[in-house]
Amino acid sequence: MHLGMLESLFAAARSWMVLWRSVRFIAPAMLETEALDVPLVQEEIFGPVLSFETFATEEEAITRANATVFGLAAALFTKDFDRTHRVARAIKAGTVWINTWGLVNDAFEEGGFKYSGIGRARGLRAIEGFQEVKTQVSLVAPASANRPST
């Protein structure tokens, strides 16, 4: 992870992180932010980083989840099962896990929304990328049209 990005993350978030500049070692970190326009929210962070945001209402949670140009996956954890499906439909992500995270199956289509990918991996839609589809339309006279009139 680029050092400038780290410094901007620290400037925008409260952190429980150890940074040893001499070896560029980053211990696993949890970063919290309220701002939506910071790199922690707007950029893909590769490394042992968990970002989290708090919210007061369901609408705010959806707004925060969709306030990024990425949309690969999301996870919802709640006891309100009706809410999970409503919120999952509103979140712009290719996969939404409910009360779990990271489960995959070869039949599950995988792919993101927005900048998180074009196309799908696995599942029936993944096969479409390897197919050429042809439509043939024919007009065939009914069998009765070929019979002599009486």
Side-chain angles (χ1 to χ4, degrees):
M1 189 182 310
H2 164 290
L3 190 57
M5 178 183 279
L6 284 174
E7 289 169 350
S8 66
L9 290 174
F10 292 138
R14 287 184 292 165
S15 137
W16 296 267
M17 188 170 196
V18 176
L19 173 63
W20 294 343
R21 287 182 180 259
S22 61
V23 293
R24 303 287 196 262
F25 173 78
I26 302 169
M30 294 172 49
L31 302 174
E32 178 185 12
T33 184
E34 292 181 21
L36 295 176
D37 60 347
V38 296
L40 179 63
V41 176
Q42 295 302 321
E43 297 178 17
E44 292 180 301
I45 308 300
F46 294 97
V49 176
L50 169 70
S51 64
F52 64 97
E53 304 170 44
T54 58
F55 55 90
T57 66
E58 180 177 306
E59 293 76 24
E60 183 185 1
I62 292 167
T63 297
R64 294 186 79 80
N66 290 332
T68 176
V69 297
F70 298 105
L72 184 58
L76 305 172
F77 293 88
T78 181
K79 293 178 184 176
D80 186 342
F81 200 68
D82 291 333
R83 173 179 279 182
T84 61
H85 290 286
R86 185 174 59 245
V87 172
R89 281 190 301 272
I91 290 177
K92 295 177 180 122
T95 299
V96 180
W97 289 289
I98 298 173
N99 291 334
T100 189
W101 179 84
L103 294 177
V104 294
N105 180 297
D106 285 340
F108 294 171
E109 293 174 6
E110 181 183 357
F113 290 8
K114 303 185 269 186
Y115 282 19
S116 289
I118 297 172
R120 295 289 178 254
R122 296 194 301 266
L124 292 176
R125 287 200 173 91
I127 295 170
E128 290 174 358
F130 298 97
Q131 295 177 329
E132 291 184 5
V133 178
K134 180 187 285 190
T135 301
Q136 288 185 249
V137 179
S138 299
L139 179 59
V140 177
S144 61
N146 295 330
R147 294 186 190 150
S149 22
T150 55

